[in-house]
Amino acid sequence: MHEPFDRPGLRQDRYFAVSPLMLFPGRQGGFDVFLLRDGEFVLYTRACERFTARHRAALRENGVAEVYISCEQEPAYRAYVEHNLGKTLLHEDAPLEERARIVHDCAVDIVRSAFEHRLPEALARQQNIARVMDFVREAMAFLCAGQSFQTLAQLVSHDYRTFSHCVHVFLYSSAILQTYGTDRETLVQTGIGAMLHDIGKVLVSHDILSKTGALTLTERAVINTHPQKGVALCAGLPLSQTAHNCILLHHEKLDGSGYPAGAAGEAIPLPVRAVTIADIYDAMTTNRPYSKAMNPFQVLRIMRDEMFDELDIEMFKRFVTILSGARIV
């Protein structure tokens, strides 16, 4: 939803940038909105003022791609976006592209918050997990409608960040499971697990996660503990078994060669298999510290030819069809 920025003469810790699409006409936000003009922040709307369709139109007409919120008012902004998400996504008069962007940006912001705050205390964990759960429930109706996946797929970034990767895995795995006629609650619980599947990496050293060279056996062993660490972080929180399974088992393989438990075959539930396929595909098609992105066709060929015994191949074929429909392959 927002990215830090660094411009000469600006205090980058005082404001953050957001897309105007995240400001919903007719609703009062409780925060001031600023524009950046000639190196200065200029007030556009006040906290007590309703943001209107006229405000948004003026920004669009003037080519304004970013507006700014004071960091002091960030809690009010986040609450505003999440409170209005459901109504906004169901507003069919709004362009599909705008609603897709809202889903993507809101999801990235929520997962980013969970990772950057590193879930230091039980209360913080509860709050962050609650945000993920609420978001997935609100977003699922939109994800199950019409051409939403095809539109969202165009927003996928090819620069790997753990929080954006989790969002992509959520989108891909949701699309896969829909082809099985999966019930809404299972979709929601899998979505929650997908959004949190790598949360254990907050307890892995940044030096290891960002290393550009080959990992040592010891470093690889540390990274391979992130599924257990993720489940431990979520202990005591109101997550379903499906969500827990996605966090703990997403690196298991059908032939038993995965980790952490070497589970195989039917011991790996269908939702987890979807998250695994989505996880592998997105990781290999994005730029990581130690590996450049490959194009989708290359990745799918490797998955088909070299991971045949590891993955659910019937599900993999469905995924290829989904990507083809979204004009990714």
Side-chain angles (χ1 to χ4, degrees):
M1 185 182 302
H2 61 265
E3 297 284 355
F5 57 97
D6 188 9
R7 297 185 175 92
L10 297 182
R11 287 278 306 281
Q12 65 179 23
D13 59 338
R14 291 181 55 191
Y15 299 89
F16 59 89
V18 305
S19 165
L21 296 179
M22 303 305 295
L23 304 178
F24 310 119
R27 295 164 199 177
Q28 186 173 323
F31 50 85
D32 300 322
V33 177
F34 296 85
L35 303 180
L36 185 61
R37 289 288 180 266
D38 299 322
E40 298 291 337
F41 288 104
V42 179
L43 184 66
Y44 187 60
T45 59
R46 296 184 181 278
C48 59
E49 183 179 357
R50 288 187 183 276
F51 189 83
T52 68
R54 179 178 57 82
H55 286 124
R56 178 181 280 187
L59 293 175
R60 184 185 298 115
E61 290 168 5
N62 287 280
V64 176
E66 292 180 331
V67 295
Y68 297 88
I69 312 293
S70 165
C71 289
E72 294 178 355
Q73 296 178 327
E74 184 171 4
Y77 170 71
R78 284 182 170 171
Y80 161 84
V81 170
E82 292 169 39
H83 177 73
N84 288 293
L85 182 64
K87 293 179 181 178
T88 300
L89 297 182
L90 294 177
H91 183 46
E92 295 186 358
D93 291 339
L96 180 62
E97 293 78 8
E98 290 193 13
R99 288 182 285 152
R101 172 64 71 177
I102 288 170
V103 168
H104 183 272
D105 288 359
C106 190
V108 170
D109 180 70
I110 288 171
V111 180
R112 185 205 313 265
S113 178
F115 277 83
E116 291 186 347
H117 287 88
R118 303 186 69 83
L119 304 176
E121 299 173 356
L123 179 59
R125 288 199 297 273
Q126 290 175 352
Q127 291 173 340
N128 280 299
I129 300 302
R131 291 181 70 205
V132 171
M133 295 173 71
D134 290 345
F135 166 80
V136 172
R137 289 191 180 280
E138 294 283 8
M140 192 55 67
F142 176 75
L143 292 176
C144 291
Q147 302 297 308
S148 60
F149 175 77
Q150 288 89 330
T151 307
L152 280 160
Q154 307 309 312
L155 303 176
V156 169
S157 167
H158 295 293
D159 288 320
Y160 185 94
R161 295 187 181 186
T162 303
F163 48 81
S164 56
H165 167 68
C166 289
V167 173
H168 302 163
V169 171
F170 161 56
L171 297 177
Y172 290 138
S173 58
S174 296
I176 292 171
L177 290 177
Q178 286 179 51
T179 70
Y180 288 87
T182 305
D183 65 272
R184 181 65 60 85
E185 185 58 25
T186 300
L187 287 173
V188 167
Q189 295 304 323
T190 305
I192 293 168
M195 291 269 278
L196 297 171
H197 78 280
D198 272 346
I199 194 66
K201 288 184 177 178
V202 303
L203 300 180
V204 175
S205 167
H206 178 72
D207 290 340
I208 295 178
L209 292 175
S210 60
K211 185 176 179 179
T212 56
L215 295 174
T216 67
L217 292 177
T218 300
E219 291 168 336
R220 172 53 62 186
V222 171
I223 286 184
N224 288 0
T225 65
H226 76 269
Q228 302 100 304
K229 286 182 166 67
V231 169
L233 279 173
C234 296
L237 299 176
L239 294 184
S240 69
Q241 187 61 53
T242 296
H244 273 114
N245 285 343
C246 292
I247 297 170
L248 181 62
L249 304 177
H250 65 275
H251 283 292
E252 299 288 5
K253 303 294 189 294
L254 290 185
D255 64 356
S257 64
Y259 64 88
E266 295 303 316
I268 304 174
L270 191 74
V272 176
R273 299 182 192 191
V275 171
T276 298
I277 287 174
D279 182 35
I280 293 170
Y281 173 80
D282 186 69
M284 294 177 72
T285 54
T286 51
N287 291 310
R288 292 170 287 173
Y290 52 86
S291 177
K292 290 186 177 181
M294 291 185 283
N295 69 53
F297 180 79
Q298 287 178 297
V299 172
L300 293 175
R301 185 171 58 185
I302 290 171
M303 293 175 72
R304 181 197 64 193
D305 296 343
E306 300 181 20
M307 303 179 186
F308 186 88
D309 294 327
E310 302 175 3
L311 306 176
D312 185 324
I313 292 302
E314 171 58 31
M315 180 178 286
F316 169 76
K317 292 177 181 178
R318 295 185 182 217
F319 184 50
V320 173
T321 300
I322 290 168
L323 297 179
S324 297
R327 299 181 180 179
I328 294 175
V329 179

PDB file of all heavy atoms in Angstrom, residues 276-307:
ATOM      1  N   THR A 276       1.670 -24.972  -1.910  1.00  0.00           N
ATOM      2  CA  THR A 276       3.013 -25.400  -2.320  1.00  0.00           C
ATOM      3  C   THR A 276       3.290 -25.048  -3.776  1.00  0.00           C
ATOM      4  O   THR A 276       4.351 -24.502  -4.112  1.00  0.00           O
ATOM      5  CB  THR A 276       3.171 -26.911  -2.114  1.00  0.00           C
ATOM      6  OG1 THR A 276       3.031 -27.219  -0.729  1.00  0.00           O
ATOM      7  CG2 THR A 276       4.532 -27.388  -2.604  1.00  0.00           C
ATOM      8  N   ILE A 277       2.349 -25.352  -4.656  1.00  0.00           N
ATOM      9  CA  ILE A 277       2.528 -25.032  -6.079  1.00  0.00           C
ATOM     10  C   ILE A 277       2.650 -23.521  -6.266  1.00  0.00           C
ATOM     11  O   ILE A 277       3.530 -23.037  -7.005  1.00  0.00           O
ATOM     12  CB  ILE A 277       1.358 -25.602  -6.901  1.00  0.00           C
ATOM     13  CG1 ILE A 277       1.492 -27.123  -7.000  1.00  0.00           C
ATOM     14  CG2 ILE A 277       1.309 -24.973  -8.301  1.00  0.00           C
ATOM     15  CD1 ILE A 277       0.328 -27.810  -7.666  1.00  0.00           C
ATOM     16  N   ALA A 278       1.802 -22.779  -5.610  1.00  0.00           N
ATOM     17  CA  ALA A 278       1.850 -21.315  -5.719  1.00  0.00           C
ATOM     18  C   ALA A 278       3.164 -20.766  -5.177  1.00  0.00           C
ATOM     19  O   ALA A 278       3.756 -19.844  -5.757  1.00  0.00           O
ATOM     20  CB  ALA A 278       0.666 -20.701  -4.964  1.00  0.00           C
ATOM     21  N   ASP A 279       3.631 -21.331  -4.077  1.00  0.00           N
ATOM     22  CA  ASP A 279       4.870 -20.887  -3.434  1.00  0.00           C
ATOM     23  C   ASP A 279       6.070 -21.108  -4.356  1.00  0.00           C
ATOM     24  O   ASP A 279       6.894 -20.205  -4.566  1.00  0.00           O
ATOM     25  CB  ASP A 279       5.043 -21.670  -2.132  1.00  0.00           C
ATOM     26  CG  ASP A 279       6.281 -21.270  -1.353  1.00  0.00           C
ATOM     27  OD1 ASP A 279       6.641 -20.080  -1.377  1.00  0.00           O
ATOM     28  OD2 ASP A 279       6.901 -22.148  -0.726  1.00  0.00           O
ATOM     29  N   ILE A 280       6.167 -22.280  -4.924  1.00  0.00           N
ATOM     30  CA  ILE A 280       7.293 -22.596  -5.817  1.00  0.00           C
ATOM     31  C   ILE A 280       7.265 -21.708  -7.052  1.00  0.00           C
ATOM     32  O   ILE A 280       8.283 -21.121  -7.441  1.00  0.00           O
ATOM     33  CB  ILE A 280       7.255 -24.084  -6.222  1.00  0.00           C
ATOM     34  CG1 ILE A 280       7.524 -24.974  -5.002  1.00  0.00           C
ATOM     35  CG2 ILE A 280       8.280 -24.375  -7.329  1.00  0.00           C
ATOM     36  CD1 ILE A 280       7.274 -26.446  -5.256  1.00  0.00           C
ATOM     37  N   TYR A 281       6.106 -21.597  -7.668  1.00  0.00           N
ATOM     38  CA  TYR A 281       5.998 -20.811  -8.894  1.00  0.00           C
ATOM     39  C   TYR A 281       6.361 -19.349  -8.648  1.00  0.00           C
ATOM     40  O   TYR A 281       7.159 -18.757  -9.393  1.00  0.00           O
ATOM     41  CB  TYR A 281       4.577 -20.906  -9.459  1.00  0.00           C
ATOM     42  CG  TYR A 281       4.354 -19.987 -10.638  1.00  0.00           C
ATOM     43  CD1 TYR A 281       4.781 -20.339 -11.910  1.00  0.00           C
ATOM     44  CD2 TYR A 281       3.746 -18.738 -10.464  1.00  0.00           C
ATOM     45  CE1 TYR A 281       4.606 -19.493 -12.988  1.00  0.00           C
ATOM     46  CE2 TYR A 281       3.570 -17.882 -11.538  1.00  0.00           C
ATOM     47  CZ  TYR A 281       3.996 -18.254 -12.796  1.00  0.00           C
ATOM     48  OH  TYR A 281       3.830 -17.404 -13.850  1.00  0.00           O
ATOM     49  N   ASP A 282       5.803 -18.756  -7.607  1.00  0.00           N
ATOM     50  CA  ASP A 282       6.069 -17.333  -7.382  1.00  0.00           C
ATOM     51  C   ASP A 282       7.526 -17.093  -7.010  1.00  0.00           C
ATOM     52  O   ASP A 282       8.128 -16.109  -7.463  1.00  0.00           O
ATOM     53  CB  ASP A 282       5.161 -16.781  -6.281  1.00  0.00           C
ATOM     54  CG  ASP A 282       5.313 -15.272  -6.138  1.00  0.00           C
ATOM     55  OD1 ASP A 282       4.893 -14.546  -7.063  1.00  0.00           O
ATOM     56  OD2 ASP A 282       5.894 -14.813  -5.132  1.00  0.00           O
ATOM     57  N   ALA A 283       8.107 -17.969  -6.201  1.00  0.00           N
ATOM     58  CA  ALA A 283       9.510 -17.794  -5.813  1.00  0.00           C
ATOM     59  C   ALA A 283      10.426 -17.829  -7.029  1.00  0.00           C
ATOM     60  O   ALA A 283      11.366 -17.033  -7.144  1.00  0.00           O
ATOM     61  CB  ALA A 283       9.915 -18.866  -4.809  1.00  0.00           C
ATOM     62  N   MET A 284      10.154 -18.734  -7.961  1.00  0.00           N
ATOM     63  CA  MET A 284      11.048 -18.902  -9.105  1.00  0.00           C
ATOM     64  C   MET A 284      10.831 -17.851 -10.191  1.00  0.00           C
ATOM     65  O   MET A 284      11.705 -17.634 -11.037  1.00  0.00           O
ATOM     66  CB  MET A 284      10.885 -20.307  -9.695  1.00  0.00           C
ATOM     67  CG  MET A 284      11.342 -21.405  -8.740  1.00  0.00           C
ATOM     68  SD  MET A 284      11.081 -23.074  -9.402  1.00  0.00           S
ATOM     69  CE  MET A 284      12.347 -23.119 -10.672  1.00  0.00           C
ATOM     70  N   THR A 285       9.688 -17.176 -10.178  1.00  0.00           N
ATOM     71  CA  THR A 285       9.424 -16.137 -11.179  1.00  0.00           C
ATOM     72  C   THR A 285       9.683 -14.738 -10.653  1.00  0.00           C
ATOM     73  O   THR A 285       9.328 -13.751 -11.296  1.00  0.00           O
ATOM     74  CB  THR A 285       7.968 -16.221 -11.695  1.00  0.00           C
ATOM     75  OG1 THR A 285       7.061 -16.179 -10.586  1.00  0.00           O
ATOM     76  CG2 THR A 285       7.741 -17.476 -12.514  1.00  0.00           C
ATOM     77  N   THR A 286      10.307 -14.626  -9.478  1.00  0.00           N
ATOM     78  CA  THR A 286      10.656 -13.325  -8.923  1.00  0.00           C
ATOM     79  C   THR A 286      12.160 -13.255  -8.664  1.00  0.00           C
ATOM     80  O   THR A 286      12.826 -14.273  -8.461  1.00  0.00           O
ATOM     81  CB  THR A 286       9.902 -13.038  -7.606  1.00  0.00           C
ATOM     82  OG1 THR A 286      10.070 -14.150  -6.711  1.00  0.00           O
ATOM     83  CG2 THR A 286       8.432 -12.827  -7.856  1.00  0.00           C
ATOM     84  N   ASN A 287      12.676 -12.044  -8.658  1.00  0.00           N
ATOM     85  CA  ASN A 287      14.097 -11.832  -8.379  1.00  0.00           C
ATOM     86  C   ASN A 287      14.360 -11.979  -6.890  1.00  0.00           C
ATOM     87  O   ASN A 287      13.802 -11.241  -6.081  1.00  0.00           O
ATOM     88  CB  ASN A 287      14.528 -10.436  -8.840  1.00  0.00           C
ATOM     89  CG  ASN A 287      14.533 -10.302 -10.346  1.00  0.00           C
ATOM     90  OD1 ASN A 287      15.102 -11.131 -11.039  1.00  0.00           O
ATOM     91  ND2 ASN A 287      13.895  -9.267 -10.867  1.00  0.00           N
ATOM     92  N   ARG A 288      15.205 -12.937  -6.545  1.00  0.00           N
ATOM     93  CA  ARG A 288      15.588 -13.156  -5.157  1.00  0.00           C
ATOM     94  C   ARG A 288      17.053 -12.784  -4.969  1.00  0.00           C
ATOM     95  O   ARG A 288      17.798 -12.673  -5.952  1.00  0.00           O
ATOM     96  CB  ARG A 288      15.339 -14.619  -4.786  1.00  0.00           C
ATOM     97  CG  ARG A 288      13.865 -14.981  -4.754  1.00  0.00           C
ATOM     98  CD  ARG A 288      13.652 -16.473  -4.622  1.00  0.00           C
ATOM     99  NE  ARG A 288      13.968 -17.194  -5.857  1.00  0.00           N
ATOM    100  CZ  ARG A 288      13.996 -18.513  -5.971  1.00  0.00           C
ATOM    101  NH1 ARG A 288      13.772 -19.263  -4.913  1.00  0.00           N
ATOM    102  NH2 ARG A 288      14.278 -19.081  -7.128  1.00  0.00           N
ATOM    103  N   PRO A 289      17.508 -12.600  -3.728  1.00  0.00           N
ATOM    104  CA  PRO A 289      18.898 -12.180  -3.513  1.00  0.00           C
ATOM    105  C   PRO A 289      19.907 -13.097  -4.181  1.00  0.00           C
ATOM    106  O   PRO A 289      20.956 -12.652  -4.644  1.00  0.00           O
ATOM    107  CB  PRO A 289      19.034 -12.217  -1.983  1.00  0.00           C
ATOM    108  CG  PRO A 289      17.655 -11.989  -1.471  1.00  0.00           C
ATOM    109  CD  PRO A 289      16.753 -12.680  -2.459  1.00  0.00           C
ATOM    110  N   TYR A 290      19.604 -14.378  -4.257  1.00  0.00           N
ATOM    111  CA  TYR A 290      20.572 -15.352  -4.765  1.00  0.00           C
ATOM    112  C   TYR A 290      20.197 -15.901  -6.138  1.00  0.00           C
ATOM    113  O   TYR A 290      20.885 -16.777  -6.663  1.00  0.00           O
ATOM    114  CB  TYR A 290      20.680 -16.525  -3.777  1.00  0.00           C
ATOM    115  CG  TYR A 290      19.364 -17.134  -3.408  1.00  0.00           C
ATOM    116  CD1 TYR A 290      18.785 -18.131  -4.183  1.00  0.00           C
ATOM    117  CD2 TYR A 290      18.664 -16.678  -2.293  1.00  0.00           C
ATOM    118  CE1 TYR A 290      17.568 -18.680  -3.865  1.00  0.00           C
ATOM    119  CE2 TYR A 290      17.431 -17.212  -1.964  1.00  0.00           C
ATOM    120  CZ  TYR A 290      16.895 -18.214  -2.750  1.00  0.00           C
ATOM    121  OH  TYR A 290      15.665 -18.741  -2.433  1.00  0.00           O
ATOM    122  N   SER A 291      19.119 -15.411  -6.736  1.00  0.00           N
ATOM    123  CA  SER A 291      18.677 -15.990  -8.002  1.00  0.00           C
ATOM    124  C   SER A 291      17.817 -15.005  -8.784  1.00  0.00           C
ATOM    125  O   SER A 291      16.906 -14.394  -8.222  1.00  0.00           O
ATOM    126  CB  SER A 291      17.870 -17.270  -7.735  1.00  0.00           C
ATOM    127  OG  SER A 291      17.386 -17.815  -8.939  1.00  0.00           O
ATOM    128  N   LYS A 292      18.108 -14.854 -10.074  1.00  0.00           N
ATOM    129  CA  LYS A 292      17.289 -13.994 -10.920  1.00  0.00           C
ATOM    130  C   LYS A 292      16.000 -14.708 -11.310  1.00  0.00           C
ATOM    131  O   LYS A 292      15.942 -15.937 -11.394  1.00  0.00           O
ATOM    132  CB  LYS A 292      18.065 -13.603 -12.185  1.00  0.00           C
ATOM    133  CG  LYS A 292      19.214 -12.641 -11.933  1.00  0.00           C
ATOM    134  CD  LYS A 292      19.850 -12.194 -13.249  1.00  0.00           C
ATOM    135  CE  LYS A 292      20.959 -11.184 -12.997  1.00  0.00           C
ATOM    136  NZ  LYS A 292      21.575 -10.726 -14.275  1.00  0.00           N
ATOM    137  N   ALA A 293      14.991 -13.923 -11.574  1.00  0.00           N
ATOM    138  CA  ALA A 293      13.697 -14.475 -11.963  1.00  0.00           C
ATOM    139  C   ALA A 293      13.804 -15.206 -13.298  1.00  0.00           C
ATOM    140  O   ALA A 293      14.509 -14.769 -14.213  1.00  0.00           O
ATOM    141  CB  ALA A 293      12.660 -13.363 -12.059  1.00  0.00           C
ATOM    142  N   MET A 294      13.086 -16.307 -13.385  1.00  0.00           N
ATOM    143  CA  MET A 294      12.930 -16.996 -14.665  1.00  0.00           C
ATOM    144  C   MET A 294      11.555 -16.665 -15.228  1.00  0.00           C
ATOM    145  O   MET A 294      10.642 -16.313 -14.477  1.00  0.00           O
ATOM    146  CB  MET A 294      13.073 -18.508 -14.474  1.00  0.00           C
ATOM    147  CG  MET A 294      14.479 -18.947 -14.122  1.00  0.00           C
ATOM    148  SD  MET A 294      14.642 -20.769 -14.056  1.00  0.00           S
ATOM    149  CE  MET A 294      13.889 -21.078 -12.468  1.00  0.00           C
ATOM    150  N   ASN A 295      11.403 -16.801 -16.538  1.00  0.00           N
ATOM    151  CA  ASN A 295      10.095 -16.497 -17.096  1.00  0.00           C
ATOM    152  C   ASN A 295       9.125 -17.634 -16.772  1.00  0.00           C
ATOM    153  O   ASN A 295       9.548 -18.767 -16.484  1.00  0.00           O
ATOM    154  CB  ASN A 295      10.174 -16.224 -18.606  1.00  0.00           C
ATOM    155  CG  ASN A 295      10.505 -17.456 -19.425  1.00  0.00           C
ATOM    156  OD1 ASN A 295       9.854 -18.489 -19.319  1.00  0.00           O
ATOM    157  ND2 ASN A 295      11.527 -17.351 -20.277  1.00  0.00           N
ATOM    158  N   PRO A 296       7.822 -17.358 -16.781  1.00  0.00           N
ATOM    159  CA  PRO A 296       6.830 -18.362 -16.373  1.00  0.00           C
ATOM    160  C   PRO A 296       6.943 -19.681 -17.125  1.00  0.00           C
ATOM    161  O   PRO A 296       6.800 -20.752 -16.526  1.00  0.00           O
ATOM    162  CB  PRO A 296       5.498 -17.661 -16.652  1.00  0.00           C
ATOM    163  CG  PRO A 296       5.802 -16.209 -16.474  1.00  0.00           C
ATOM    164  CD  PRO A 296       7.195 -16.044 -17.025  1.00  0.00           C
ATOM    165  N   PHE A 297       7.197 -19.623 -18.421  1.00  0.00           N
ATOM    166  CA  PHE A 297       7.282 -20.856 -19.196  1.00  0.00           C
ATOM    167  C   PHE A 297       8.424 -21.729 -18.696  1.00  0.00           C
ATOM    168  O   PHE A 297       8.278 -22.954 -18.560  1.00  0.00           O
ATOM    169  CB  PHE A 297       7.468 -20.538 -20.688  1.00  0.00           C
ATOM    170  CG  PHE A 297       7.568 -21.757 -21.555  1.00  0.00           C
ATOM    171  CD1 PHE A 297       6.437 -22.469 -21.921  1.00  0.00           C
ATOM    172  CD2 PHE A 297       8.803 -22.217 -21.994  1.00  0.00           C
ATOM    173  CE1 PHE A 297       6.523 -23.606 -22.711  1.00  0.00           C
ATOM    174  CE2 PHE A 297       8.906 -23.355 -22.789  1.00  0.00           C
ATOM    175  CZ  PHE A 297       7.755 -24.053 -23.138  1.00  0.00           C
ATOM    176  N   GLN A 298       9.588 -21.123 -18.433  1.00  0.00           N
ATOM    177  CA  GLN A 298      10.725 -21.881 -17.914  1.00  0.00           C
ATOM    178  C   GLN A 298      10.374 -22.561 -16.594  1.00  0.00           C
ATOM    179  O   GLN A 298      10.691 -23.725 -16.366  1.00  0.00           O
ATOM    180  CB  GLN A 298      11.925 -20.956 -17.691  1.00  0.00           C
ATOM    181  CG  GLN A 298      12.623 -20.469 -18.941  1.00  0.00           C
ATOM    182  CD  GLN A 298      13.754 -19.520 -18.577  1.00  0.00           C
ATOM    183  OE1 GLN A 298      13.515 -18.446 -18.007  1.00  0.00           O
ATOM    184  NE2 GLN A 298      14.969 -19.907 -18.895  1.00  0.00           N
ATOM    185  N   VAL A 299       9.749 -21.785 -15.709  1.00  0.00           N
ATOM    186  CA  VAL A 299       9.426 -22.299 -14.375  1.00  0.00           C
ATOM    187  C   VAL A 299       8.439 -23.455 -14.470  1.00  0.00           C
ATOM    188  O   VAL A 299       8.609 -24.497 -13.819  1.00  0.00           O
ATOM    189  CB  VAL A 299       8.864 -21.171 -13.497  1.00  0.00           C
ATOM    190  CG1 VAL A 299       8.342 -21.736 -12.166  1.00  0.00           C
ATOM    191  CG2 VAL A 299       9.942 -20.123 -13.235  1.00  0.00           C
ATOM    192  N   LEU A 300       7.411 -23.295 -15.263  1.00  0.00           N
ATOM    193  CA  LEU A 300       6.409 -24.355 -15.389  1.00  0.00           C
ATOM    194  C   LEU A 300       7.016 -25.620 -15.991  1.00  0.00           C
ATOM    195  O   LEU A 300       6.658 -26.741 -15.612  1.00  0.00           O
ATOM    196  CB  LEU A 300       5.234 -23.867 -16.235  1.00  0.00           C
ATOM    197  CG  LEU A 300       4.396 -22.753 -15.596  1.00  0.00           C
ATOM    198  CD1 LEU A 300       3.340 -22.257 -16.567  1.00  0.00           C
ATOM    199  CD2 LEU A 300       3.754 -23.222 -14.284  1.00  0.00           C
ATOM    200  N   ARG A 301       7.952 -25.458 -16.914  1.00  0.00           N
ATOM    201  CA  ARG A 301       8.615 -26.620 -17.496  1.00  0.00           C
ATOM    202  C   ARG A 301       9.448 -27.348 -16.438  1.00  0.00           C
ATOM    203  O   ARG A 301       9.444 -28.584 -16.374  1.00  0.00           O
ATOM    204  CB  ARG A 301       9.500 -26.187 -18.666  1.00  0.00           C
ATOM    205  CG  ARG A 301      10.132 -27.368 -19.411  1.00  0.00           C
ATOM    206  CD  ARG A 301      10.824 -26.911 -20.680  1.00  0.00           C
ATOM    207  NE  ARG A 301      11.867 -25.921 -20.389  1.00  0.00           N
ATOM    208  CZ  ARG A 301      12.562 -25.279 -21.324  1.00  0.00           C
ATOM    209  NH1 ARG A 301      12.298 -25.487 -22.611  1.00  0.00           N
ATOM    210  NH2 ARG A 301      13.497 -24.405 -20.987  1.00  0.00           N
ATOM    211  N   ILE A 302      10.153 -26.596 -15.601  1.00  0.00           N
ATOM    212  CA  ILE A 302      10.939 -27.217 -14.530  1.00  0.00           C
ATOM    213  C   ILE A 302      10.021 -27.937 -13.549  1.00  0.00           C
ATOM    214  O   ILE A 302      10.295 -29.063 -13.128  1.00  0.00           O
ATOM    215  CB  ILE A 302      11.785 -26.152 -13.801  1.00  0.00           C
ATOM    216  CG1 ILE A 302      12.904 -25.656 -14.723  1.00  0.00           C
ATOM    217  CG2 ILE A 302      12.369 -26.720 -12.506  1.00  0.00           C
ATOM    218  CD1 ILE A 302      13.662 -24.463 -14.171  1.00  0.00           C
ATOM    219  N   MET A 303       8.928 -27.285 -13.183  1.00  0.00           N
ATOM    220  CA  MET A 303       7.985 -27.900 -12.250  1.00  0.00           C
ATOM    221  C   MET A 303       7.416 -29.186 -12.831  1.00  0.00           C
ATOM    222  O   MET A 303       7.260 -30.188 -12.122  1.00  0.00           O
ATOM    223  CB  MET A 303       6.872 -26.915 -11.904  1.00  0.00           C
ATOM    224  CG  MET A 303       7.345 -25.714 -11.098  1.00  0.00           C
ATOM    225  SD  MET A 303       6.050 -24.465 -10.810  1.00  0.00           S
ATOM    226  CE  MET A 303       5.008 -25.333  -9.619  1.00  0.00           C
ATOM    227  N   ARG A 304       7.119 -29.186 -14.114  1.00  0.00           N
ATOM    228  CA  ARG A 304       6.544 -30.380 -14.758  1.00  0.00           C
ATOM    229  C   ARG A 304       7.568 -31.500 -14.897  1.00  0.00           C
ATOM    230  O   ARG A 304       7.288 -32.668 -14.580  1.00  0.00           O
ATOM    231  CB  ARG A 304       6.011 -30.006 -16.138  1.00  0.00           C
ATOM    232  CG  ARG A 304       5.364 -31.161 -16.909  1.00  0.00           C
ATOM    233  CD  ARG A 304       5.241 -30.820 -18.375  1.00  0.00           C
ATOM    234  NE  ARG A 304       6.569 -30.639 -19.002  1.00  0.00           N
ATOM    235  CZ  ARG A 304       6.754 -30.097 -20.197  1.00  0.00           C
ATOM    236  NH1 ARG A 304       5.714 -29.641 -20.896  1.00  0.00           N
ATOM    237  NH2 ARG A 304       7.972 -29.986 -20.693  1.00  0.00           N
ATOM    238  N   ASP A 305       8.774 -31.150 -15.346  1.00  0.00           N
ATOM    239  CA  ASP A 305       9.765 -32.174 -15.681  1.00  0.00           C
ATOM    240  C   ASP A 305      10.605 -32.629 -14.490  1.00  0.00           C
ATOM    241  O   ASP A 305      10.966 -33.808 -14.394  1.00  0.00           O
ATOM    242  CB  ASP A 305      10.699 -31.662 -16.780  1.00  0.00           C
ATOM    243  CG  ASP A 305       9.972 -31.404 -18.096  1.00  0.00           C
ATOM    244  OD1 ASP A 305       8.836 -31.912 -18.252  1.00  0.00           O
ATOM    245  OD2 ASP A 305      10.534 -30.686 -18.940  1.00  0.00           O
ATOM    246  N   GLU A 306      10.932 -31.704 -13.598  1.00  0.00           N
ATOM    247  CA  GLU A 306      11.860 -32.025 -12.513  1.00  0.00           C
ATOM    248  C   GLU A 306      11.182 -32.229 -11.161  1.00  0.00           C
ATOM    249  O   GLU A 306      11.804 -32.712 -10.228  1.00  0.00           O
ATOM    250  CB  GLU A 306      12.918 -30.924 -12.401  1.00  0.00           C
ATOM    251  CG  GLU A 306      13.744 -30.745 -13.668  1.00  0.00           C
ATOM    252  CD  GLU A 306      14.804 -29.660 -13.533  1.00  0.00           C
ATOM    253  OE1 GLU A 306      15.159 -29.318 -12.379  1.00  0.00           O
ATOM    254  OE2 GLU A 306      15.276 -29.161 -14.575  1.00  0.00           O
ATOM    255  N   MET A 307       9.911 -31.840 -11.048  1.00  0.00           N
ATOM    256  CA  MET A 307       9.203 -31.980  -9.770  1.00  0.00           C
ATOM    257  C   MET A 307       7.973 -32.864  -9.912  1.00  0.00           C
ATOM    258  O   MET A 307       7.047 -32.787  -9.107  1.00  0.00           O
ATOM    259  CB  MET A 307       8.809 -30.595  -9.242  1.00  0.00           C
ATOM    260  CG  MET A 307       9.961 -29.639  -9.062  1.00  0.00           C
ATOM    261  SD  MET A 307       9.419 -28.016  -8.466  1.00  0.00           S
ATOM    262  CE  MET A 307      10.958 -27.087  -8.544  1.00  0.00           C
TER     263      MET A 307
END
